[in-house]
């Protein structure tokens, strides 16, 4: 605990990012994108007292060890507290491993770190500038009125800067060429180049190729070569070579805000397809775009997720704050919003809804209605984009066929969520001793010649099927015919098979509860749905499955009314429990079965959807996705 020697509380697992949302599913690439460098967040009051400024090297000392990290002065931590993400370590520089500071106690069964918080002291230290690329020139600490936010990528030098400079020097030595001073330009050359520079500034948002002086520019040939070489050195690393800018292409802006990468991935795929359709696309995160620019743009597209209680993701919060300026007039703006969310949360797609309403309030006109996507966002996102292309239809656009690029992160030839691998269950070993109330199993799946590889820390997605007993019970409770044909993904199949394979029939959605309350006419359930009884409703729903609600509140409805209210069944992610070095042709999972009995309305045995899937008679094989991106170098996942 903190004391006089170690007065600060260090937290290394902020729930919204580093611990729950990203690390539990092994999304290390997304985590590194969110925090592209090591840092320690210090509150402005503490920073002022300790004489710490942004990017200053700060020693974190605990009873166990120490680390030296660049400071990030921020009000996202409380006074007396500090935060550092634990996924950076000494592979990236000396004394960057936060796990050297925290407790080394681990859970005796899982071997996972027992605590990711500890008491530390903070001290600004002096380092030689070349010791690490993470510590840049000192900056004045941000005032409390404008604290530095989470986007630490802007606060630190790029990861490879020191390496890049060394390679540049080696390149020059190999060519026996050193950088030369700019040539002495004549008055007319300077005037022309000044105009050229102004033109670059005016078209900065639509530059999509390496700029170059035209051959007939009134600049001496040697001088033109030098200028074009400078432009190539500056732009060729970020823009395609040999592409002629199309000044006459219609321009569109695509803004995204994403907490875990889904919205950004969609936006990138949409931008690519818009370019194929003949558009000049300016794609940015919302925080990288000034809201005042909306008053000059003609068309802007928004793809956003929601974070917290209907709030903007971190990379959209500043933009949302700027939108609160009532002086903004967006009468000329046409826009479209695609919102991503999870209907299990109260503020489903909350930020997308608020963004859509705010833009309308400022005078902007929607190109089409907002679409709110649940966790299974592939189909509605594709439909939204297809309708958008029809609405835009620029005169010089080219038709673009529907594509899976927008919703698939991997090619169809690779195993993924959209293209799972069907594996044989080869191991089912109970790990609990006799008399244990728990049922924990070690499952092993045969990889055969699939080519699937994995590493420590990866997560495996398993596609389950619903329990046939539940399917039968639900059909009987609703008086449905199991053979009724239904359309699923443009394919017709019997209702029983659709409920078994395609729909989430255990946890009732908010829309389903509302539907049952209205159709059954239950005053009790309608009362529970009032906004002020939200917490009571969640407690009441705990342990109840959809069929339990149907038993308690009998109703009559058609299959075509029920299915649109059911979510699509999703794969469940489990941490891999085997080593590829020891089991290169198998992958193992350790799974604890979810089983419970409800007595409130008669004894009913209930189970989890996936945790008991491989134990059921039909669970002799399983479909699973390829592994998530490797979660490595964390020192304690």
């Amino acid at each position: 605990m903190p004391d006089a020697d170690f007065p600060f509380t260090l937290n290394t697992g902020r729930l919204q990012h580093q611990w729950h949302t990203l690390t539990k599913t092994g999304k290390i690439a997304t985590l590194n994108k969110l925090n592209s460098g090591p840092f320690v967040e210090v509150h402005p009051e503490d920073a002022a007292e300790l004489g710490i400024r942004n990017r200053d090297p700060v020693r974190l000392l605990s009873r166990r060890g120490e680390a030296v990290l660049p400071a990030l002065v921020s009000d996202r931590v409380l006074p007396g507290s500090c935060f550092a993400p634990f996924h950076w370590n000494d592979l990236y520089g000396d004394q960057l491993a936060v796990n050297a500071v925290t407790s080394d106690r681990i859970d005796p069964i899982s071997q996972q770190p027992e605590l990711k918080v500890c008491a530390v002291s903070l001290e600004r230290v002096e380092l030689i500038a070349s010791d690490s690329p993470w510590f840049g020139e000192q900056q004045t600490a941000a005032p409390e009125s404008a604290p530095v936010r989470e986007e630490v990528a802007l606060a630190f030098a790029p990861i490879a800067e020191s390496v890049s400079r060394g390679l540049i020097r080696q390149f020059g030595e190999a060519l026996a060429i050193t950088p030369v001073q700019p040539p002495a330009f004549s008055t007319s050359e300077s005037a022309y180049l000044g105009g050229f520079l102004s033109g670059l500034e005016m078209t900065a948002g639509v530059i999509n190729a390496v700029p170059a002086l035209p051959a007939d520019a009134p600049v001496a040939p040697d001088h033109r070569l030098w200028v074009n070489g400078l432009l190539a050195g500056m732009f060729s690393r970020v823009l395609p070579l040999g592409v002629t800018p199309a000044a006459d292409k219609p321009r569109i802006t695509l803004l995204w805000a994403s907490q875990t990468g889904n919205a950004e991935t969609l936006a990138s795929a949409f931008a690519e397809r818009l370019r194929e359709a003949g558009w000049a696309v300016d794609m940015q995160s919302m925080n990288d775009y000034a809201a005042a620019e909306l008053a000059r743009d003609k068309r802007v597209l928004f793809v956003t997720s929601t974070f917290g209680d209907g709030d903007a993701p971190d990379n959209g919060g500043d933009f949302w704050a700027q939108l609160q300026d009532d002086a903004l007039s967006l009468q000329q703006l046409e826009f479209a919003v695609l919102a991503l969310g999870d209907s299990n949360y109260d503020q489903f797609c909350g930020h997308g809804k608020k963004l859509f309403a705010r833009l309308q309030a400022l005078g902007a006109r929607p190109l089409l209605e907002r679409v709110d996507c649940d966790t299974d966002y592939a189909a509605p996102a594709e439909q939204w984009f297809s309708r958008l292309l029809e609405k835009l239809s620029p005169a010089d656009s080219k038709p673009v066929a529907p594509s899976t690029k927008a919703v698939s992160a991997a090619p169809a030839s690779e195993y993924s969520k959209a293209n799972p691998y069907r594996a044989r269950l080869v191991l089912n070993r109970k790990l609990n001793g006799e008399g244990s109330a728990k049922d924990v199993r070690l499952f092993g799946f045969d990889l055969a010649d699939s080519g699937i590889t994995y590493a420590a820390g990866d997560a495996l997605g398993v596609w389950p099927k619903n329990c046939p007993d539940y399917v039968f019970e639900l059909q009987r409770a609703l008086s449905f015919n199991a053979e009724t044909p239904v359309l699923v993904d443009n394919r017709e199949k019997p209702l029983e098979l659709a409920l078994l394979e395609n729909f989430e029939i255990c946890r009732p959605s908010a829309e389903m509860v509302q539907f049952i309350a209205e159709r059954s006419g239950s005053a009790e359930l309608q009362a529970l749905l009032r906004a002020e009884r939200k917490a009571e409703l969640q407690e009441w729903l705990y342990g109840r499955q959809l069929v339990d609600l149907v038993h308690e509140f009998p109703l009559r409805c058609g299959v075509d009314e029920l299915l649109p209210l059911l979510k699509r069944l999703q794969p469940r992610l489990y941490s891999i429990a085997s080593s590829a070095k020891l089991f290169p042709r198998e992958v193992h999972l350790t799974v604890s079965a979810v089983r419970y009995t409800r007595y409130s309305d008669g004894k009913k045995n209930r189970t989890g959807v996936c945790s008991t899937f491989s134990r059921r008679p039909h669970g002799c094989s399983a479909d699973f996705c390829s592994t998530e991106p490797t979660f490595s170098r964390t020192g304690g996942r």
Side-chain angles (χ1 to χ4, degrees):
M1 297 297 291
D3 57 20
D5 294 327
F6 304 97
F8 290 90
T9 301
L10 169 68
N11 170 27
T12 67
R14 177 149 52 210
L15 184 65
Q16 63 197 47
H17 303 311
Q18 282 75 15
W19 189 253
H20 175 74
T21 306
L22 297 180
T23 61
K24 82 167 186 177
T25 51
K27 295 184 178 179
I28 190 65
T30 305
L31 197 59
N32 284 342
K33 195 168 186 178
L34 177 70
N35 298 141
S36 59
F39 64 92
V40 56
E41 278 183 320
V42 183
H43 191 273
E45 294 177 8
D46 296 327
E49 183 176 344
L50 297 171
I52 294 173
R53 296 175 292 178
N54 281 316
R55 298 175 68 183
D56 276 352
V58 175
R59 175 180 288 121
L60 287 74
L61 182 65
S62 73
R63 295 177 178 86
R64 181 187 175 206
E66 68 177 70
V68 179
L69 303 173
L72 176 61
V73 181
S74 166
D75 66 352
R76 296 201 63 177
V77 292
L78 296 172
S81 298
C82 56
F83 166 77
F86 65 83
H87 64 283
W88 293 98
N89 59 33
D90 289 343
L91 288 174
Y92 302 93
D94 293 335
Q95 294 186 297
L96 298 180
V98 178
N99 284 346
V101 178
T102 55
S103 171
D104 58 357
R105 290 177 62 90
I106 59 173
D107 179 84
I109 298 176
S110 69
Q111 302 296 300
Q112 295 296 301
E114 188 174 274
L115 296 170
K116 301 303 297 181
V117 63
C118 67
V120 297
S121 63
L122 301 179
E123 176 191 14
R124 181 185 178 278
V125 295
E126 296 290 343
L127 289 181
I128 299 174
S130 61
D131 281 354
S132 172
W134 305 111
F135 304 93
E137 296 181 3
Q138 296 176 358
Q139 303 173 5
T140 303
E144 294 181 35
S145 59
V148 178
R149 306 303 295 176
E150 178 95 11
E151 287 70 46
V152 298
L154 300 179
F156 305 115
I159 295 176
E161 182 177 358
S162 59
V163 177
S164 296
R165 291 187 181 278
L167 291 174
I168 292 170
R169 286 194 295 271
Q170 294 178 30
F171 178 68
E173 292 170 0
L175 297 177
I177 292 176
T178 57
V180 298
Q181 294 296 318
F185 296 110
S186 66
T187 302
S188 59
E189 287 176 330
S190 296
Y192 180 87
L193 292 172
F196 187 82
L197 179 61
S198 298
L200 289 177
E201 291 179 348
M202 292 175 63
T203 59
V206 295
I207 295 176
N208 62 358
V210 179
L213 291 178
D216 60 351
V219 178
D222 289 346
H223 293 178
R224 185 172 65 251
L225 284 174
W226 186 90
V227 172
N228 285 339
L230 177 64
L231 289 169
M234 294 177 65
F235 287 93
S236 63
R237 288 166 291 174
V238 294
L239 293 173
L241 285 167
V243 178
T244 303
D248 57 342
K249 286 184 178 181
R251 181 174 179 272
I252 196 166
T253 299
L254 177 55
L255 303 179
W256 57 267
S258 184
Q259 201 65 37
T260 59
N262 289 334
E264 182 182 3
T265 299
L266 278 175
S268 297
F270 289 153
E272 179 182 345
R273 293 172 64 187
L274 283 167
R275 293 185 183 105
E276 293 172 1
W279 290 85
V281 183
D282 176 19
M283 190 186 91
Q284 303 180 50
S285 73
M286 292 186 192
N287 278 0
D288 290 335
Y289 179 91
E293 294 292 321
L294 291 174
R296 292 185 284 274
D297 267 331
K298 183 179 179 182
R299 296 184 184 94
V300 179
L301 311 179
F302 298 87
V303 180
T304 183
S305 61
T306 293
F307 179 71
D309 193 20
D311 300 324
D314 285 346
N315 40 38
D318 293 342
F319 175 79
W320 174 249
Q322 294 175 44
L323 273 187
Q324 306 316 303
D325 183 0
D326 291 329
L328 274 176
S329 177
L330 307 181
Q331 302 294 330
Q332 89 301 334
L333 180 68
E334 293 181 320
F335 73 97
V337 173
L338 178 69
L340 305 186
D342 184 341
S343 60
N344 288 318
Y345 293 91
D346 292 330
Q347 298 295 328
F348 172 56
C349 290
H351 181 245
K353 293 174 181 177
K354 291 192 291 188
L355 179 64
F356 189 86
R358 182 57 183 165
L359 292 169
Q360 283 186 302
L362 294 172
R365 302 179 306 282
L367 285 161
L368 67 166
E369 278 302 308
R370 182 192 73 248
V371 169
D372 300 331
C373 300
D374 209 336
T375 50
D376 188 22
Y377 56 82
E382 177 63 33
Q383 292 166 5
W384 175 84
F385 185 72
S386 297
R387 291 198 300 270
L388 179 66
L389 283 179
E390 294 174 2
K391 285 282 186 180
L392 293 173
S393 60
D396 62 344
S397 68
K398 297 175 289 184
V400 178
S403 169
T404 58
K405 289 182 180 179
V407 295
S408 176
S413 60
E414 297 181 5
Y415 295 114
S416 64
K417 178 180 177 181
N419 181 35
Y421 175 70
R422 188 166 182 81
R424 176 67 56 179
L425 180 66
V426 294
L427 176 64
N428 182 348
R429 180 187 303 158
K430 187 172 182 178
L431 301 181
N432 303 91
E434 290 295 328
S436 174
K438 298 189 69 175
D439 181 7
V440 180
R441 302 290 181 102
L442 179 65
F443 291 129
F445 299 97
D446 183 15
L447 296 178
D449 297 320
S450 65
I452 292 177
T453 60
Y454 63 92
D458 281 355
L460 193 71
V462 179
W463 275 105
K465 294 179 181 178
N466 287 308
C467 177
D469 294 340
Y470 287 3
V471 173
F472 176 75
E473 186 179 354
L474 182 62
Q475 289 174 155
R476 187 175 60 178
L478 292 168
S479 300
F480 285 167
N481 185 342
E483 299 302 318
T484 300
V486 297
L487 202 62
V488 180
D489 296 332
N490 297 318
R491 292 177 57 195
E492 193 175 271
K493 60 170 54 179
L495 172 64
E496 182 178 28
L497 189 60
L499 293 177
L500 184 72
E501 297 179 343
N502 301 108
F503 294 101
E504 179 68 69
I505 63 171
C506 289
R507 183 176 181 176
S509 65
E511 294 83 358
M512 181 63 74
V513 177
Q514 184 70 47
F515 176 78
I516 293 174
E518 294 173 356
R519 188 57 62 91
S520 67
S522 169
E524 175 191 355
L525 194 51
Q526 289 175 354
L528 277 171
L529 286 166
R530 293 174 185 163
E532 65 272 16
R533 300 183 66 179
K534 185 186 304 181
E536 187 179 347
L537 173 64
Q538 293 304 313
E539 183 178 352
W540 182 84
L541 284 172
Y542 184 76
R544 280 180 166 87
Q545 298 192 355
L546 172 58
V547 70
D548 297 321
L549 267 65
V550 174
H551 284 314
E552 292 182 61
F553 307 99
L555 72 155
R556 302 286 294 181
C557 68
V559 173
D560 57 337
E561 294 177 290
L562 181 81
L563 290 191
L565 297 173
L566 294 176
K567 286 189 176 185
R568 298 299 292 269
L569 197 61
Q570 295 294 315
R572 271 56 171 175
L573 292 177
Y574 294 96
S575 294
I576 290 176
S578 56
S579 165
K581 293 181 179 179
L582 191 60
F583 300 99
R585 293 173 62 88
E586 292 182 10
V587 60
H588 296 171
L589 302 178
T590 304
V591 181
S592 177
V594 176
R595 292 192 180 95
Y596 59 97
T597 303
R598 294 195 65 247
Y599 292 96
S600 60
D601 52 350
K603 183 176 179 180
K604 291 186 175 69
N605 295 321
R606 298 298 183 217
T607 63
V609 176
C610 195
S611 64
T612 60
F613 169 58
S614 295
R615 298 165 175 81
R616 300 200 291 267
H618 69 283
C620 60
S621 61
D623 292 333
F624 59 81
C625 317
S626 61
T627 54
E628 289 284 337
T630 301
F631 190 81
S632 58
R633 302 186 299 276
T634 62
R637 170 159 158 15

